[in-house]
């Protein structure tokens, strides 16, 4: 929990954390590991990061209790097309956080383990539907 608090406070030092919940879904964990293996097979490497994700209009329970996890069906257009976006800074995802139902003004968002594979620097293009074709990995 110390790592979560430290990451949160890096960019939201004046915000209060009311609750931290560790979410474990065996089905989603198995799928995550299989995707990591696929990324390693495809790219020759895998990089894992802890990144923030705000769900805006989707209740977080829909994501972590389901079998699909972060699901494109709940995504809307972004700077690089429809996709599932994660952020290094908590302050960015806070802007997309989900309001709690108790009316307190509290917000919810994720700090997730994300397998990022290979990144590419791209200009903004809202028409993208898939990542660009990358050259084969050099192993």
């Amino acid at each position: 929990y110390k790592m979560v608090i430290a990451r949160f406070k890096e960019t939201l030092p004046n915000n209060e954390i009311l609750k931290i919940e560790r979410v474990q879904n065996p089905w989603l964990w198995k799928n995550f590991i299989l995707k990591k293996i696929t990324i390693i097979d495809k790219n020759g490497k895998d990089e894992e990061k802890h990144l923030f994700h705000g769900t805006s209009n989707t209740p977080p329970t829909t994501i972590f209790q389901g079998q699909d996890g972060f699901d494109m069906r709940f995504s809307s257009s972004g700077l690089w097309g429809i996709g599932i976006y994660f952020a290094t800074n908590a302050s960015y995802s806070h802007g997309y956080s989900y309001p709690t139902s108790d009316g307190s003004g509290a917000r919810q968002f994720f700090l997730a383990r994300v397998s990022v594979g290979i990144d590419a620097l791209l200009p903004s293009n809202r028409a993208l539907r898939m990542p660009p074709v990358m050259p084969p990995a050099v192993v």
Side-chain angles (χ1 to χ4, degrees), residues 62-113:
T62 300
I63 294 169
F64 68 75
Q65 289 179 350
Q67 290 188 356
D68 298 311
F70 295 105
D71 187 340
M72 290 286 289
R73 291 176 289 187
F74 301 114
S75 298
S76 59
S77 184
L79 290 177
W80 292 274
I82 294 174
I84 301 168
Y85 290 81
F86 293 88
T88 303
N89 297 331
S91 58
Y92 187 84
S93 291
H94 185 265
Y96 296 92
S97 58
Y98 186 79
T100 58
S101 60
D102 62 8
S104 68
R107 314 282 301 174
Q108 299 173 314
F109 58 102
F110 290 94
L111 179 61
R113 287 173 71 169

Side-chain angles (χ1 to χ4, degrees), residues 5 9 43 45 49 62 69 81-82 89 114 119 135:
I5 293 168
K9 291 294 184 179
N43 300 330
K45 69 176 187 169
K49 295 182 179 184
T62 300
I82 294 174
N89 297 331
V114 180
D119 59 355

Side-chain angles (χ1 to χ4, degrees), residues 15-81:
N15 288 54
E16 180 183 5
I17 297 173
L18 301 178
K19 180 167 57 170
I20 297 172
E21 294 181 61
R22 182 177 177 145
V23 176
Q24 293 179 292
N25 179 322
W27 174 261
L28 294 178
W29 179 251
K30 180 180 177 184
N31 286 339
F32 176 73
I33 296 301
L34 291 173
K35 287 290 187 186
K36 281 179 68 69
I37 292 168
T38 302
I39 289 171
I40 292 167
D41 288 347
K42 181 179 177 184
N43 300 330
K45 69 176 187 169
D46 172 56
E47 185 177 353
E48 190 175 293
K49 295 182 179 184
H50 286 91
L51 300 172
F52 294 96
H53 178 78
T55 65
S56 295
N57 300 317
T58 306
T61 52
T62 300
I63 294 169
F64 68 75
Q65 289 179 350
Q67 290 188 356
D68 298 311
F70 295 105
D71 187 340
M72 290 286 289
R73 291 176 289 187
F74 301 114
S75 298
S76 59
S77 184
L79 290 177
W80 292 274

